[in-house]
Amino acid sequence: MHALPPLITDLTLIAVYAGITTLIFKWLKQPVVLGYVLAGIIAGPYFTLVPSVTDKENIQIWADIGVIFLLFGLGLEFSFKKILNVGKTAIITGMMNIVFLLFIGYLTGQMLGWSTMNSLFLGGMISMSSTTIIIKAFEELNLKKMKFTDLVFGVLIIEDIVGILLLVLLPTVALSQSVNGNELLISTLKLLLFLVLCFITGIYLIPTFMKKASSYMNDETLLIVSLGLCLAMVLFATSSGFSSALGAFIMGAILAESHQVKRIEHVLKPVKDFFGAVFFVSVGMLVNPAMFIKYGESILYISAIVIFGKVFFSCIGFVISGQTPRTAVLCGFSLAQVGEFAFIIASLGLSLGVLSDHVYPTIVAVSVLTTFTTPLMIKSAIPFYNKARELLPSNVKDFIKRTLIQSNENKGEDNNAWNELFKRYFLRLSLFSIILIGIMNVSFHLVAPFFKSIFPNIFARILNTGLTLICMAPFMNALLVLKGKLSRLYIDLWIEKQSNRTPLLMLTAFKVLIVALFLMVVVHELLTTNPYVTGFLVVLTLFLVLKSHWVSEQYMKIEARFLINLNREQIEQQIKETEIESKSIKQKEWLDSSLEVITLTLLKEAPWVGKELKETEFRDKYAMNIFKIIRGEQIITIPRSNEKLFEGDVLTFVGTPKQIKRFKTINQNNGILIKDSDSSMILHDYILNQKSDAESKDKTMLVSCAFLVTPESGLEHHNIVDAQIRNKTKCLVIGVERKSSLFINPESNFMFKEGDLIWLLGDKKSMTQEVLHQMELNEKFSDDKQEEVKISTQSA
């Protein structure tokens, strides 16, 4: 009989145990991550009651694969633009959390008698919160759309970035068995150089490639290409001396800028979920459950440090950065846990052989405890804030007030012209210097040996020097020539004061000196050491770089392509808004002429008296919409389907002239007694008349707006009745635009399709927030008081 390889047998056990525990934890309404860890403990070599995985090498293989896909998925949800948009609040709070908890974690380890390396890794593991657990808690408590959650996610982005940095720096410390400042600095600079080059090159090339190849990519091809790019970057990162996790994260972040990122996330989700589960199961397999009892006191102590430390330092960071105490408490209580990065760092320590056996199960137990406490902490945030506000001394309250006032006053200081100039100047200087260093390294270590192997020595040196300078020229031009806002700032400061000119000239001279040094290194390394020849070539190259239109055009093309790829989402959103705006102009044309309003009064004998709207045939039989009922002093705008009609009700209908005529003719022929206003009015004129009639008792303000049917809207393949648009939005569907077709006042069984533009009519006062946002009214309905009521209700 043919025996299965051990690797497949192990995967079978992992999948079976993970499936069982996932179902149990879903039934218990607990995070499935904990179920995966439990499955790992059951499948691990320390639990012998059931068949288990005994080969630790296989466990490590599955853990490595799981980390790659976990970080790749994290990168796909990460966007380079997010780094630029997190704001000072996230940066201050995130860095304060990491720095202080790293230090406190180290001290805690030392107090527990742990070694220096164990203590250092402990600090790294407890310094970062869990994105997975926080998102799950927000979803369960229905808080994901609250304003404070954006601040929490901003902090998580900063922590993820620092977590990637720790994955590079901790091995450096671990292998040297000491904290060497020079080695850490060199490792940090290498990492920075690697990240910038990968992101710039990747964002320039990969999204462009994905767009050009999109016509050949079905879901299967897209999956294979994405996985191939991920694993290629993993191989490149490990070959460059970095971790596989870093390579996976970088490629995920690069693909996040592709126009196909939604499709990529969709096709990769099963793979990512499966191997993410495999990673968390592998975490459990490396845990000896007996350690939970043996080191129970340490686990409880570290858990308390995590909860109270994160709450304390997060709250301080948010208050210092200008957030209100209430927001600070909400955010701080949300961040009180450790998660996936702790497992990754712990796995890294084990693979390097620098962690003691008890550290891994300790941090797993701490993660389990803090995962259970996270929802409780979020629920208790408002009650804690209310109690703390009463107990805080007056001098502390005054200090917080002064901090908030000072923070708000300082918001305008960043507009200082010199600050803006320095920020842009040094950003460009750093960015282009890193690119030039990258080009030089490729030339020195890859191109030069290749050319020497196929060309005569002197010809190879001349050819390589010329090729290197051509590749560097566009970026040297961008560094030397002032462009855009930097140019305007420079000119404004030059004109503003005579004293500004000397420092401006010094900044210009410094840039020229930096570029000249790069040129000298290239010529000296690749061509000649003769100082006269070197000086001549440097001056000549500087002149050509500054005067050549071709060089400037090449840089502009590179920058344009890079910015298009980087700002893909904003560009697509602007295109979509432009399309809707153009359709809005078209809509005004048919709205002005195709829909009319008529008012009818129900008499006693009318067959609809005493019936609910859904029992009448206004919509189904006549395709007529009632958008207003006047009942004495009461005015009901956009009545619900269960609204009952009474004698004397004045009904206002909207429909096409043909629908209105048909309705009146049929009912008059059937002898139905209704009191007709005998005149109709174009809907557009009716709206304008209502807005201008200041003396009218009817203060409703009818407005129209449009919704685009997308796969995310939930309207696709639903008809008007099933979509419940009237009840959900408090609006009527008055028209649907589908490509070149127009459906005015469609019947209730009309089926929506992707790309449809649905036009709604409703009273501005009673419209839902979603509709008002679509109209770009920018009205705020989720203010702090509403959040407090909602969270307090959840807590109760």
Side-chain angles (χ1 to χ4, degrees), residues 184-202:
L184 285 178
L185 179 61
I186 292 171
S187 296
T188 304
L189 292 176
K190 284 182 179 178
L191 174 64
L192 181 63
L193 177 65
F194 183 78
L195 287 174
V196 172
L197 289 177
C198 286
F199 275 118
I200 291 175
T201 308

Side-chain angles (χ1 to χ4, degrees), residues 496-508:
E496 183 182 345
K497 288 182 183 179
Q498 188 80 20
S499 59
N500 286 344
R501 298 183 179 184
T502 300
L504 289 173
L505 288 173
M506 291 177 64
L507 290 174
T508 304

Side-chain angles (χ1 to χ4, degrees), residues 157-177:
I157 290 170
I158 298 299
E159 291 184 350
D160 287 344
I161 295 170
V162 177
I164 295 296
L165 180 64
L166 287 178
L167 291 178
V168 177
L169 297 183
L170 286 176
T172 304
V173 176
L175 294 175
S176 63
Q177 291 294 314

Side-chain angles (χ1 to χ4, degrees), residues 188-201 426-441 475 479 514 518:
T188 304
L189 292 176
K190 284 182 179 178
L191 174 64
L192 181 63
L193 177 65
F194 183 78
L195 287 174
V196 172
L197 289 177
C198 286
F199 275 118
I200 291 175
T201 308
F426 286 107
L427 178 62
R428 292 177 70 86
L429 186 65
S430 303
L431 186 62
F432 290 119
S433 296
I434 289 173
I435 295 174
L436 293 173
I437 291 171
I439 295 172
M440 290 163 55
N441 273 284
F475 303 103
L479 187 54
I514 292 293
F518 281 126

